[in-house]
Amino acid sequence: MDPAGARGSVGPARRRHGRSVTPVSIAVRALTVLYDADCSLCVHLRSWLLRQPKLVPLRFVAAGSAAARRGYPQLDHARTMREITVIGDRGQVYTGQAAWIVCLWALAEHRPKAHWLATPAGAPFVRVTMLAAAKYREMTGAGTGAAPCDDRCSAPG
């Protein structure tokens, strides 16, 4: 698999019944991003992604929505509310760190950065970014079904 998760593969070449089996590579031509429409951070990142020049088209569907459930019945939709999920046009599913990286990989100006983030040197940056996003979502109640911010975001009095 390409470091940015841009190509799916059935696995490394191997011998089966005395014959060499070559892996099949599937190019990603479009991506669907499932995002939490009730999370201000997720909505902000969606808006940012929409404004970027793209090499691969991005489509956005609210996670847990009827459209998401209808289009991707095989997914755990409760999980998609807690973790970013990106689906390739041929059924590839990216979650967590791979999902963040594949979103950047789809952008014209950020593909080289996505390739770097997919390396061992870049992995700590992805991990820290995801932890910060998760902490923000936890503080605002995103992905829990609670009202955004509840009473935890009020200004100290």
Side-chain angles (χ1 to χ4, degrees):
M1 184 163 99
D2 169 356
R7 295 175 103 36
S9 174
V10 296
R14 57 185 175 263
R15 302 200 49 84
R16 186 176 292 181
H17 304 292
R19 296 188 335 237
S20 178
V21 177
T22 306
V24 177
S25 200
I26 303 170
V28 173
R29 293 192 180 94
L31 295 165
T32 299
V33 180
L34 300 183
Y35 73 101
D36 184 348
D38 293 326
C39 168
S40 61
L41 176 62
C42 301
V43 171
H44 173 77
L45 290 171
R46 173 187 174 270
S47 296
W48 180 80
L49 287 166
L50 283 168
R51 291 190 309 270
Q52 303 305 306
K54 294 163 201 61
L55 297 172
V56 174
L58 294 174
R59 182 175 150 242
F60 296 87
V61 175
S65 68
R69 291 176 191 281
R70 187 173 47 253
Y72 309 101
Q74 75 281 11
L75 295 178
D76 175 351
H77 290 279
R79 183 176 176 196
T80 68
M81 292 297 296
R82 295 186 309 272
E83 181 177 43
I84 182 173
T85 304
V86 179
I87 301 103
D89 59 325
R90 302 247 173 97
Q92 310 93 322
V93 176
Y94 306 90
T95 59
Q97 293 182 16
W100 286 101
I101 292 170
V102 80
C103 284
L104 289 175
W105 174 86
L107 305 178
E109 295 176 19
H110 298 283
R111 185 168 280 184
K113 180 61 77 180
H115 283 283
W116 181 77
L117 289 169
T119 68
F125 294 94
V126 178
R127 192 170 25 262
V128 166
T129 302
M130 289 193 64
L131 288 172
K135 186 64 175 175
Y136 176 85
R137 286 175 49 80
E138 178 186 315
M139 289 174 51
T140 61
T144 64
C149 286
D150 231 342
D151 60 357
R152 293 169 286 189
C153 295
S154 56

